[in-house]
Amino acid sequence: MRMNVPAEPDPAGLRPLSARSVVLSLLLGVHPPELPVKDLIRLVEPFGVGGSTLRAALSRMVSAGDLRRTDAVYRLSDRLLARQRRQDDAVHPRTRAWDGDWEMVVITVTGRGPAERADLRARLTALRMAELREGVWLRPANLDRPLPAGLRQVALTYTARPDEPSRQLADRLWPLPDWAAGARSLLAHVTAAGDPADRLTAYAAAVRHLLADPVLPPALLPPDWPGEALRSAYAAYRRELSTALGASEEAY
């Protein structure tokens, strides 16, 4: 039984993004993640968001802690800056040559409440790990990043070489055919989309889908894996946004 988070569903029935989602999609795609309100008004218009709707959404987002406002400039909050870093890593994952080792995390702390357990599961999933059985998480050691130091307060970390063949183990841990089918559907959708709002909706779904890509070593992936194609398509769209915003492509 595969135990990781389900893949992004087929995007054909995606609903148009709300004003809040349009603003976040724009700010998450630029560096630094801040825009004057006059630029936001100009940029959201092709997505069907009027000026009064935008101002109401910005006010709610500041109150909710999504954005910070300085004079007439809106910037992502610290919480959403962390989300932007995860999104950037999804588009440009840092990998290294894989020698067959796996990272393993074994949860050792007991007596945690449901909220704490859910938070830990979310943190481990964000690290692109999958749960083999309750409290045992692992993935191939091909990502060029250390595990967070705070993880050692609740778990033991290991480097291991499972007896089970790595390709077979990867197939058990991740729904690879489902993820690939979702990625191909998204690629077809973004290629066919012509309306700016439809394109933004599709690319927002694409980056969410990339966050669930396990970024496995090529030797463990099915043939014609579409992960790189989806990353390239989203990166190209983000360069389009960069041009529209007057930002340099070097910022990406």
Side-chain angles (χ1 to χ4, degrees):
M1 182 178 68
R2 295 186 176 95
M3 304 177 187
N4 209 17
V5 176
E8 185 77 20
D10 190 295
L14 286 176
R15 297 177 180 177
L17 297 177
S18 66
R20 175 183 181 276
S21 296
V22 170
V23 171
L24 288 182
S25 294
L26 292 172
L27 288 173
L28 286 166
V30 299
H31 294 72
E34 59 183 35
L35 288 169
V37 67
K38 62 180 178 61
D39 288 344
L40 281 169
I41 291 172
R42 172 176 57 86
L43 291 165
V44 301
E45 185 178 2
F47 306 113
V49 179
S52 60
T53 301
L54 172 66
R55 289 186 175 88
L58 291 173
S59 178
R60 289 193 297 268
M61 293 169 75
V62 171
S63 297
D66 294 330
L67 300 179
R68 293 179 175 178
R69 178 182 178 181
T70 304
D71 295 326
V73 176
Y74 289 86
R75 177 180 176 83
L76 292 180
S77 66
D78 290 344
R79 172 173 55 84
L80 289 174
L81 285 174
R83 175 176 165 182
Q84 186 186 53
R85 288 191 291 271
R86 292 193 301 271
Q87 179 174 301
D88 290 346
D89 185 61
V91 179
H92 301 292
R94 298 183 299 275
T95 60
R96 62 190 182 196
W98 185 55
D99 62 3
D101 285 347
W102 286 63
E103 298 174 348
M104 180 178 292
V105 174
V106 179
I107 308 303
T108 56
V109 173
T110 59
R112 293 167 295 125
E116 290 177 296
R117 292 197 302 271
D119 178 69
L120 182 56
R121 291 180 65 88
R123 288 164 55 196
L124 290 167
T125 300
L127 290 169
R128 303 184 189 277
M129 305 194 77
E131 192 171 30
L132 178 65
R133 57 179 298 275
E134 186 174 0
V136 179
W137 295 72
L138 68 165
R139 67 154 295 111
N142 70 314
L143 293 182
D144 188 15
R145 54 100 174 99
L147 293 173
L151 196 57
R152 295 184 176 87
Q153 298 174 6
V154 296
L156 295 175
T157 60
Y158 302 90
T159 299
R161 291 211 175 193
D163 292 335
E164 183 176 352
S166 291
R167 179 69 179 270
Q168 181 177 313
L169 182 56
D171 286 343
R172 283 208 295 135
L173 291 170
W174 288 278
L176 300 179
D178 293 343
W179 193 95
R184 293 189 183 100
S185 181
L186 282 163
L187 283 167
H189 196 71
V190 299
T191 300
D195 179 75
D198 193 32
R199 293 186 74 213
L200 184 63
T201 300
Y203 277 110
V207 77
R208 290 196 303 271
H209 199 66
L210 287 170
L211 288 168
D213 181 357
V215 191
L216 298 178
L220 304 187
L221 293 173
D224 301 320
W225 181 253
E228 188 57 39
L230 190 60
R231 280 191 287 273
S232 296
Y234 179 74
Y237 180 69
R238 200 158 69 168
R239 285 193 293 271
E240 289 182 34
L241 290 180
S242 172
T243 300
L245 295 169
S248 67
E249 293 188 4
E250 287 74 18
Y252 297 90

